[in-house]
Structures are given as structure tokens and as C-alpha cells.
Coordinates of all heavy atoms in Angstrom, one line a residue:
M5 N -2.5 -1.6 -12.6 CA -3.2 -1.9 -11.3 C -2.1 -2.2 -10.3 O -1.0 -2.6 -10.6 CB -4.1 -3.1 -11.4 CG -5.4 -2.8 -12.1 SD -6.3 -1.5 -11.3 CE -7.4 -1.0 -12.6
A6 N -2.4 -2.0 -9.0 CA -1.5 -2.2 -7.9 C -2.2 -2.5 -6.6 O -3.4 -2.3 -6.6 CB -0.6 -1.0 -7.8
Y7 N -1.5 -2.8 -5.6 CA -2.0 -2.9 -4.3 C -1.9 -1.6 -3.6 O -1.0 -0.8 -3.9 CB -1.4 -4.1 -3.5 CG -2.0 -5.4 -3.9 CD1 -1.7 -6.0 -5.1 CD2 -2.9 -6.0 -3.0 CE1 -2.2 -7.2 -5.5 CE2 -3.4 -7.3 -3.4 CZ -3.1 -7.8 -4.6 OH -3.7 -9.0 -4.9
V8 N -2.8 -1.3 -2.6 CA -2.8 0.0 -2.0 C -2.8 -0.2 -0.5 O -3.6 -1.1 0.1 CB -4.1 0.7 -2.4 CG1 -4.2 2.1 -1.7 CG2 -4.1 0.9 -3.9
I9 N -2.1 0.6 0.3 CA -2.1 0.5 1.7 C -3.0 1.6 2.2 O -2.9 2.8 1.8 CB -0.6 0.8 2.3 CG1 0.3 -0.4 1.8 CG2 -0.7 0.8 3.8 CD1 1.8 -0.2 2.1
T10 N -3.9 1.2 3.2 CA -5.0 2.1 3.6 C -4.8 2.5 5.1 O -3.7 2.2 5.7 CB -6.3 1.5 3.4 OG1 -6.4 0.3 4.2 CG2 -6.6 1.2 1.9
S11 N -5.7 3.2 5.7 CA -5.6 3.9 7.0 C -5.1 3.0 8.1 O -4.4 3.6 9.0 CB -6.9 4.6 7.3 OG -7.9 3.6 7.6
P12 N -5.5 1.7 8.3 CA -5.0 1.0 9.4 C -3.5 1.0 9.6 O -2.9 0.9 10.7 CB -5.5 -0.4 9.2 CG -6.7 -0.2 8.4 CD -6.4 0.9 7.4
C13 N -2.7 1.2 8.5 CA -1.3 1.3 8.5 C -0.8 2.4 9.4 O 0.2 2.3 10.1 CB -0.7 1.4 7.1 SG 1.1 1.5 7.1
G14 N -1.6 3.5 9.4 CA -1.1 4.7 10.2 C -1.0 4.4 11.7 O -0.1 5.0 12.3
A15 N -1.7 3.5 12.2 CA -1.6 3.2 13.7 C -0.6 2.1 13.9 O -0.2 1.9 15.1 CB -3.0 2.7 14.2
E16 N -0.1 1.4 12.9 CA 0.7 0.3 13.1 C 2.1 0.5 12.5 O 3.1 0.3 13.2 CB 0.1 -1.0 12.5 CG 0.8 -2.3 12.8 CD 0.6 -2.8 14.2 OE1 -0.3 -2.3 14.9 OE2 1.4 -3.6 14.6
K17 N 2.2 0.8 11.2 CA 3.4 0.9 10.5 C 4.4 -0.2 10.8 O 5.5 0.0 11.3 CB 4.0 2.3 10.8 CG 4.5 3.0 9.6 CD 5.1 4.4 9.9 CE 5.8 4.9 8.7 NZ 6.8 5.9 9.0
A18 N 3.9 -1.4 10.6 CA 4.7 -2.6 11.1 C 5.9 -3.0 10.2 O 6.8 -3.5 10.7 CB 3.7 -3.8 11.1
A19 N 5.8 -2.8 8.9 CA 6.9 -3.0 8.0 C 7.1 -4.4 7.5 O 8.0 -4.7 6.8 CB 8.2 -2.4 8.5
E20 N 6.3 -5.4 8.0 CA 6.4 -6.7 7.4 C 6.2 -6.7 5.9 O 6.9 -7.5 5.2 CB 5.3 -7.7 8.0 CG 5.6 -8.2 9.4 CD 5.1 -7.3 10.5 OE1 4.9 -6.1 10.2 OE2 4.9 -7.8 11.6
C21 N 5.4 -5.9 5.4 CA 5.2 -5.8 4.0 C 6.5 -5.5 3.2 O 6.7 -6.0 2.2 CB 4.1 -4.8 3.6 SG 4.4 -3.1 4.2
V22 N 7.2 -4.6 3.8 CA 8.5 -4.1 3.1 C 9.4 -5.3 3.0 O 10.1 -5.5 1.9 CB 9.1 -3.0 4.0 CG1 10.5 -2.6 3.3 CG2 8.2 -1.8 4.1
E23 N 9.4 -6.2 4.0 CA 10.4 -7.3 4.0 C 10.0 -8.4 3.0 O 10.9 -9.0 2.4 CB 10.4 -7.9 5.4 CG 11.1 -7.0 6.4 CD 10.9 -7.4 7.8 OE1 10.6 -8.6 8.1 OE2 10.9 -6.5 8.7
V24 N 8.7 -8.5 2.7 CA 8.3 -9.6 1.8 C 8.2 -9.2 0.3 O 8.1 -10.0 -0.6 CB 7.0 -10.3 2.2 CG1 7.1 -10.9 3.6 CG2 5.8 -9.3 2.1
C25 N 8.1 -7.9 0.1 CA 7.9 -7.4 -1.3 C 9.1 -7.8 -2.2 O 10.2 -7.4 -2.0 CB 7.7 -5.9 -1.3 SG 7.4 -5.3 -3.0
P26 N 8.8 -8.6 -3.3 CA 9.9 -9.0 -4.1 C 10.5 -8.0 -5.0 O 11.6 -8.1 -5.6 CB 9.3 -10.1 -5.0 CG 7.8 -9.8 -5.0 CD 7.5 -9.1 -3.7
V27 N 9.8 -6.8 -5.2 CA 10.3 -5.8 -6.1 C 10.7 -4.5 -5.3 O 10.9 -3.5 -5.9 CB 9.4 -5.5 -7.2 CG1 9.3 -6.7 -8.2 CG2 8.0 -5.1 -6.7
E28 N 10.6 -4.6 -4.0 CA 11.0 -3.5 -3.1 C 10.3 -2.1 -3.5 O 11.0 -1.1 -3.6 CB 12.6 -3.3 -3.1 CG 13.3 -4.5 -2.6 CD 14.8 -4.4 -2.5 OE1 15.3 -3.3 -3.0 OE2 15.4 -5.3 -2.1
C29 N 9.0 -2.2 -3.6 CA 8.3 -1.1 -4.1 C 7.5 -0.4 -2.9 O 6.7 0.5 -3.1 CB 7.3 -1.4 -5.2 SG 5.9 -2.5 -4.8
I30 N 7.7 -0.8 -1.7 CA 7.0 -0.3 -0.5 C 8.0 0.6 0.2 O 9.0 0.2 0.7 CB 6.5 -1.4 0.4 CG1 5.6 -2.3 -0.4 CG2 5.7 -0.7 1.5 CD1 5.0 -3.5 0.4
E31 N 7.6 1.9 0.4 CA 8.5 2.9 1.0 C 7.8 3.6 2.2 O 6.6 3.8 2.2 CB 8.9 3.9 0.0 CG 9.8 3.4 -1.1 CD 10.4 4.4 -2.0 OE1 10.4 5.6 -1.7 OE2 10.8 4.0 -3.1
P32 N 8.6 4.0 3.2 CA 7.9 4.6 4.4 C 7.7 6.1 4.1 O 8.5 6.8 3.6 CB 9.0 4.5 5.5 CG 10.3 4.4 4.7 CD 10.0 3.7 3.4
G33 N 6.5 6.5 4.5 CA 6.1 7.9 4.5 C 6.1 8.4 6.0 O 6.5 7.6 6.9
D34 N 5.7 9.6 6.2 CA 5.7 10.1 7.6 C 4.7 9.3 8.5 O 4.9 9.0 9.6 CB 5.3 11.6 7.6 CG 6.5 12.5 7.2 OD1 7.6 12.0 7.2 OD2 6.2 13.6 6.8
D35 N 3.5 9.0 7.9 CA 2.4 8.5 8.6 C 2.2 7.0 8.4 O 1.5 6.4 9.1 CB 1.1 9.3 8.4 CG 1.3 10.7 8.7 OD1 2.0 11.0 9.6 OD2 0.7 11.5 8.0
Q36 N 2.6 6.5 7.2 CA 2.3 5.1 6.9 C 3.3 4.7 5.8 O 4.1 5.5 5.3 CB 0.9 5.1 6.3 CG 0.7 5.9 5.0 CD -0.6 5.5 4.3 OE1 -1.6 6.2 4.5 NE2 -0.5 4.5 3.4
F37 N 3.2 3.4 5.3 CA 3.9 3.0 4.2 C 3.1 3.2 2.9 O 1.9 3.2 3.0 CB 4.3 1.5 4.3 CG 5.4 1.3 5.3 CD1 5.1 1.0 6.7 CD2 6.7 1.4 5.0 CE1 6.1 0.8 7.6 CE2 7.8 1.2 5.9 CZ 7.4 0.9 7.2
Y38 N 3.8 3.3 1.8 CA 3.1 3.5 0.5 C 3.7 2.5 -0.5 O 4.9 2.2 -0.5 CB 3.3 4.9 0.0 CG 2.7 5.9 0.8 CD1 3.4 6.7 1.7 CD2 1.3 6.2 0.5 CE1 2.7 7.7 2.4 CE2 0.7 7.2 1.3 CZ 1.4 7.9 2.2 OH 0.8 8.9 2.9
I39 N 2.8 2.0 -1.4 CA 3.2 1.1 -2.5 C 3.3 1.9 -3.7 O 2.4 2.6 -4.1 CB 2.2 -0.1 -2.6 CG1 2.2 -1.0 -1.4 CG2 2.5 -0.9 -3.9 CD1 1.1 -2.0 -1.4
N40 N 4.5 1.8 -4.4 CA 4.6 2.5 -5.7 C 3.8 1.7 -6.8 O 4.2 0.6 -7.1 CB 6.1 2.5 -6.1 CG 6.3 3.4 -7.3 OD1 5.5 3.4 -8.2 ND2 7.5 4.1 -7.4
P41 N 2.7 2.3 -7.3 CA 1.9 1.6 -8.2 C 2.5 1.3 -9.6 O 2.0 0.5 -10.3 CB 0.6 2.5 -8.3 CG 1.1 3.9 -8.0 CD 2.2 3.7 -7.0
D42 N 3.6 2.0 -9.9 CA 4.3 1.8 -11.1 C 5.2 0.6 -11.1 O 5.6 0.1 -12.1 CB 5.1 3.0 -11.6 CG 4.2 4.1 -12.2 OD1 3.0 3.8 -12.5 OD2 4.7 5.2 -12.5
I43 N 5.5 0.2 -9.9 CA 6.5 -0.9 -9.7 C 5.8 -2.2 -9.2 O 6.3 -3.3 -9.6 CB 7.6 -0.5 -8.8 CG1 8.4 0.7 -9.4 CG2 8.6 -1.6 -8.6 CD1 9.4 1.3 -8.5
C44 N 4.8 -2.1 -8.4 CA 4.1 -3.2 -7.9 C 3.7 -4.2 -9.0 O 3.2 -3.8 -10.0 CB 2.8 -2.8 -7.1 SG 1.7 -4.1 -6.5
I45 N 4.0 -5.5 -8.8 CA 3.7 -6.5 -9.8 C 2.4 -7.3 -9.4 O 2.2 -8.4 -10.0 CB 4.9 -7.5 -10.0 CG1 5.3 -8.1 -8.6 CG2 6.0 -6.7 -10.6 CD1 6.3 -9.2 -8.8
D46 N 1.7 -6.8 -8.4 CA 0.4 -7.5 -8.1 C 0.5 -8.9 -7.6 O -0.3 -9.7 -7.8 CB -0.6 -7.5 -9.3 CG -1.3 -6.2 -9.5 OD1 -1.0 -5.2 -8.8 OD2 -2.2 -6.2 -10.3
C47 N 1.6 -9.2 -6.9 CA 1.8 -10.6 -6.4 C 1.0 -10.9 -5.2 O 0.7 -12.1 -4.9 CB 3.3 -10.8 -6.1 SG 3.9 -10.0 -4.6
G48 N 0.6 -9.9 -4.4 CA -0.2 -10.1 -3.2 C 0.5 -10.6 -2.0 O -0.1 -10.8 -1.0
A49 N 1.8 -10.7 -2.1 CA 2.6 -11.2 -0.9 C 2.4 -10.3 0.3 O 2.4 -10.8 1.5 CB 4.0 -11.4 -1.3
C50 N 2.3 -9.1 0.1 CA 2.2 -8.1 1.3 C 0.9 -8.3 2.0 O 0.8 -8.0 3.2 CB 2.4 -6.7 0.8 SG 1.3 -6.2 -0.6
V51 N -0.2 -8.7 1.4 CA -1.5 -8.7 2.0 C -1.5 -9.6 3.2 O -2.0 -9.2 4.3 CB -2.6 -9.1 0.9 CG1 -3.9 -9.3 1.6 CG2 -2.6 -8.2 -0.2
S52 N -1.0 -10.8 3.1 CA -1.2 -11.8 4.2 C -0.3 -11.5 5.4 O -0.6 -12.0 6.5 CB -1.0 -13.2 3.6 OG 0.3 -13.3 3.1
V53 N 0.8 -10.7 5.2 CA 1.7 -10.5 6.3 C 1.3 -9.2 7.1 O 1.8 -8.9 8.1 CB 3.1 -10.4 5.9 CG1 3.6 -11.7 5.3 CG2 3.4 -9.2 4.9
C54 N 0.4 -8.4 6.5 CA 0.0 -7.1 7.2 C -0.8 -7.5 8.5 O -1.9 -8.1 8.3 CB -0.8 -6.3 6.3 SG -1.4 -4.7 7.1
P55 N -0.4 -7.1 9.6 CA -1.1 -7.4 10.9 C -2.4 -6.7 11.1 O -3.2 -7.1 12.0 CB 0.0 -7.1 12.0 CG 0.8 -6.0 11.4 CD 0.9 -6.3 9.9
V56 N -2.6 -5.6 10.3 CA -3.8 -4.8 10.5 C -4.7 -4.8 9.3 O -5.6 -4.0 9.1 CB -3.5 -3.4 10.9 CG1 -2.9 -3.4 12.3 CG2 -2.5 -2.7 10.0
D57 N -4.4 -5.8 8.3 CA -5.3 -5.9 7.1 C -5.5 -4.6 6.4 O -6.6 -4.2 6.0 CB -6.6 -6.5 7.4 CG -6.5 -7.9 7.9 OD1 -5.5 -8.6 7.5 OD2 -7.3 -8.4 8.8
A58 N -4.4 -3.8 6.2 CA -4.5 -2.5 5.6 C -4.3 -2.5 4.1 O -4.5 -1.5 3.5 CB -3.4 -1.6 6.2
I59 N -3.9 -3.7 3.5 CA -3.6 -3.7 2.1 C -4.6 -4.4 1.2 O -5.1 -5.5 1.5 CB -2.2 -4.4 1.9 CG1 -1.2 -3.8 2.8 CG2 -1.8 -4.3 0.4 CD1 0.2 -4.5 2.8
Y60 N -5.1 -3.6 0.2 CA -6.1 -4.1 -0.7 C -5.6 -4.0 -2.1 O -4.9 -3.1 -2.5 CB -7.4 -3.3 -0.6 CG -8.1 -3.3 0.7 CD1 -7.7 -2.5 1.8 CD2 -9.1 -4.2 0.9 CE1 -8.3 -2.5 3.0 CE2 -9.8 -4.3 2.2 CZ -9.4 -3.4 3.2 OH -10.0 -3.5 4.4
H61 N -6.2 -4.9 -3.0 CA -6.0 -4.6 -4.4 C -6.7 -3.3 -4.8 O -7.7 -3.0 -4.2 CB -6.5 -5.8 -5.3 CG -6.1 -5.7 -6.7 ND1 -6.9 -5.1 -7.6 CD2 -5.0 -6.1 -7.4 CE1 -6.3 -5.1 -8.8 NE2 -5.1 -5.7 -8.7
E62 N -6.1 -2.6 -5.7 CA -6.7 -1.3 -6.1 C -8.2 -1.4 -6.5 O -9.0 -0.5 -6.2 CB -5.9 -0.8 -7.3 CG -6.2 0.7 -7.7 CD -5.3 1.2 -8.8 OE1 -4.2 0.6 -9.0 OE2 -5.7 2.2 -9.4
D63 N -8.6 -2.5 -7.1 CA -10.0 -2.7 -7.4 C -10.9 -3.0 -6.2 O -12.1 -3.0 -6.4 CB -10.1 -3.9 -8.4 CG -9.7 -3.5 -9.8 OD1 -9.5 -2.3 -10.1 OD2 -9.4 -4.5 -10.6
E64 N -10.3 -3.3 -5.1 CA -11.1 -3.8 -3.9 C -11.0 -2.9 -2.7 O -11.4 -3.3 -1.6 CB -10.7 -5.2 -3.6 CG -11.0 -6.2 -4.7 CD -10.4 -7.6 -4.5 OE1 -9.6 -7.8 -3.6 OE2 -10.8 -8.5 -5.3
V65 N -10.4 -1.7 -2.9 CA -10.3 -0.8 -1.8 C -11.7 -0.3 -1.4 O -12.5 0.0 -2.2 CB -9.4 0.5 -2.2 CG1 -9.4 1.5 -1.1 CG2 -8.0 0.1 -2.6
P66 N -12.0 -0.4 0.0 CA -13.3 0.0 0.4 C -13.6 1.5 0.1 O -12.7 2.3 0.0 CB -13.2 -0.2 2.0 CG -12.1 -1.2 2.2 CD -11.1 -0.9 1.1
D67 N -14.8 1.8 -0.1 CA -15.2 3.1 -0.5 C -14.7 4.2 0.4 O -14.2 5.3 0.0 CB -16.8 3.3 -0.6 CG -17.3 2.5 -1.8 OD1 -16.5 2.2 -2.7 OD2 -18.5 2.3 -1.9
D68 N -14.7 3.9 1.7 CA -14.3 4.9 2.7 C -12.7 5.0 2.8 O -12.2 5.8 3.6 CB -14.9 4.7 4.1 CG -14.6 3.3 4.7 OD1 -14.0 2.5 3.9 OD2 -14.9 3.1 5.8
E69 N -12.0 4.2 2.0 CA -10.6 4.3 2.0 C -10.0 4.6 0.6 O -8.8 4.6 0.4 CB -10.0 2.9 2.4 CG -10.4 2.4 3.8 CD -9.6 3.0 4.9 OE1 -8.4 3.4 4.6 OE2 -10.1 3.0 6.0
I70 N -10.9 5.0 -0.3 CA -10.5 5.2 -1.7 C -9.5 6.3 -1.9 O -8.7 6.3 -2.8 CB -11.8 5.4 -2.5 CG1 -11.5 5.0 -4.0 CG2 -12.3 6.8 -2.4 CD1 -11.5 3.5 -4.2
E71 N -9.5 7.3 -0.9 CA -8.5 8.4 -1.0 C -7.1 7.9 -1.0 O -6.1 8.5 -1.5 CB -8.7 9.4 0.1 CG -8.3 8.8 1.4 CD -8.7 9.7 2.6 OE1 -8.0 10.7 2.8 OE2 -9.7 9.4 3.3
Y72 N -6.8 6.7 -0.5 CA -5.5 6.2 -0.3 C -4.9 5.8 -1.7 O -3.7 5.7 -1.8 CB -5.4 5.0 0.7 CG -5.6 5.6 2.1 CD1 -6.8 5.8 2.6 CD2 -4.4 5.9 2.8 CE1 -6.9 6.3 3.9 CE2 -4.5 6.5 4.1 CZ -5.8 6.7 4.6 OH -5.9 7.3 5.8
V73 N -5.7 5.5 -2.7 CA -5.2 5.2 -4.0 C -4.5 6.5 -4.5 O -3.4 6.4 -5.0 CB -6.4 4.9 -5.0 CG1 -5.9 4.7 -6.4 CG2 -7.1 3.6 -4.5
D74 N -5.1 7.6 -4.4 CA -4.5 8.9 -4.9 C -3.3 9.3 -4.0 O -2.3 9.8 -4.5 CB -5.5 10.0 -4.9 CG -6.4 9.9 -6.1 OD1 -6.0 9.3 -7.1 OD2 -7.5 10.6 -6.1
L75 N -3.4 9.0 -2.7 CA -2.3 9.4 -1.8 C -1.0 8.7 -2.2 O 0.0 9.3 -2.1 CB -2.7 9.0 -0.3 CG -3.7 10.0 0.4 CD1 -4.0 9.5 1.8 CD2 -3.1 11.4 0.5
A76 N -1.2 7.4 -2.5 CA 0.0 6.7 -3.0 C 0.6 7.3 -4.2 O 1.8 7.4 -4.4 CB -0.3 5.2 -3.2
R77 N -0.2 7.6 -5.2 CA 0.2 8.2 -6.4 C 0.9 9.5 -6.1 O 2.0 9.8 -6.7 CB -0.9 8.4 -7.4 CG -1.5 7.1 -7.9 CD -2.5 7.2 -9.0 NE -2.9 5.9 -9.5 CZ -2.2 5.2 -10.4 NH1 -1.1 5.7 -10.9 NH2 -2.6 4.1 -10.8
K78 N 0.3 10.3 -5.3 CA 1.0 11.6 -4.9 C 2.3 11.4 -4.2 O 3.3 12.2 -4.5 CB 0.0 12.4 -4.0 CG -1.1 13.1 -4.8 CD -1.9 14.0 -3.9 CE -3.2 14.4 -4.6 NZ -4.3 14.6 -3.7
F79 N 2.4 10.4 -3.3 CA 3.6 10.2 -2.6 C 4.8 9.9 -3.6 O 5.9 10.4 -3.3 CB 3.4 9.0 -1.7 CG 4.6 8.7 -0.8 CD1 5.0 9.5 0.3 CD2 5.5 7.6 -1.2 CE1 6.1 9.2 1.0 CE2 6.6 7.3 -0.4 CZ 6.9 8.1 0.7
F80 N 4.5 9.2 -4.7 CA 5.5 8.9 -5.6 C 5.6 9.8 -6.8 O 6.3 9.6 -7.8 CB 5.3 7.4 -6.1 CG 5.6 6.4 -5.1 CD1 4.6 5.8 -4.4 CD2 6.9 6.1 -4.7 CE1 4.8 4.8 -3.4 CE2 7.2 5.1 -3.7 CZ 6.1 4.5 -3.1
G81 N 4.8 10.9 -6.7 CA 4.8 11.9 -7.8 C 4.3 11.5 -9.1 O 4.7 11.9 -10.2
I82 N 3.3 10.5 -9.0 CA 2.8 10.0 -10.3 C 1.5 10.7 -10.7 O 0.6 11.0 -9.8 CB 2.4 8.5 -10.1 CG1 3.7 7.7 -9.8 CG2 1.7 7.9 -11.3 CD1 3.5 6.3 -9.3
Ligands
SF4_109 FE1 5.1 -5.7 -3.4 FE2 3.6 -7.8 -4.3 FE3 2.6 -6.2 -2.4 FE4 2.9 -5.3 -4.9 S1 1.5 -6.9 -4.2 S2 3.5 -4.2 -3.0 S3 4.8 -6.3 -5.5 S4 4.4 -7.5 -2.2

């Protein structure tokens, strides 16, 4: 399991999450940041610093944002 960055990131791309992640598993894509699900340790530190509330635990991603689970996996070639 991992945390997932969803669509609000695309309008903001703020990067606070990158700075707080203890395992440096958040990387920039063209349109948004992505969390590497193989490296994320589920600490939740990125959630509270996201100014647009774009980050959810994989189990709690809203139905209309579920595609972002696969987008992160594809971004990292998983
Ligand atoms: Fe990094 Fe923790 Fe967020 Fe996972 S939950 S992306 S380890 S800050």
C-alpha cells in the first residue's frame, strides 16, 4: 500500500510533499508529482503539508480519482 497524489496537484504542483518525505519517493512528472508506491512507507507526512489536499491513502482515494493509482504505477514503470 502507498499514498497517491490525485488531480488537484496538477493545478498547484507545490512540492511541499517532496520536502517532507523521509524516503524521497516523490518525483516530479510533467503535470503533477507522483509517489513511488514501492518505496512509500505510508508515514502520511505528505498529506498534511499538501495545500490542495491532493494526497490520499491508496485505500481512500475517491472513486472519481481512482485512475491516479494506476498513473503513479505507470510513471514508475511498475
Ligand atoms: Fe513519503 Fe510518507 Fe508521503 Fe509515502 S506517505 S510519499 S513515505 S511522506
Side-chain angles (χ1 to χ4, degrees):
M5 287 300 164
Y7 279 74
V8 177
I9 299 176
T10 61
S11 66
C13 180
E16 186 73 19
K17 224 179 168 203
E20 280 92 336
C21 57
V22 176
E23 290 162 27
V24 300
C25 180
V27 292
E28 299 183 357
C29 69
I30 306 177
E31 295 187 15
D34 286 340
D35 302 327
Q36 65 166 92
F37 285 94
Y38 292 98
I39 294 171
N40 187 327
D42 279 355
I43 299 176
C44 175
I45 57 170
D46 276 9
C47 72
C50 53
V51 175
S52 57
V53 298
C54 178
V56 290
D57 295 329
I59 307 176
Y60 295 87
H61 190 269
E62 190 172 342
D63 285 344
E64 295 170 353
V65 175
D67 287 346
D68 60 352
E69 299 279 336
I70 204 75
E71 68 189 283
Y72 287 86
V73 176
D74 280 341
L75 282 176
R77 293 187 174 280
K78 282 185 189 148
F79 181 77
F80 290 102
I82 297 168

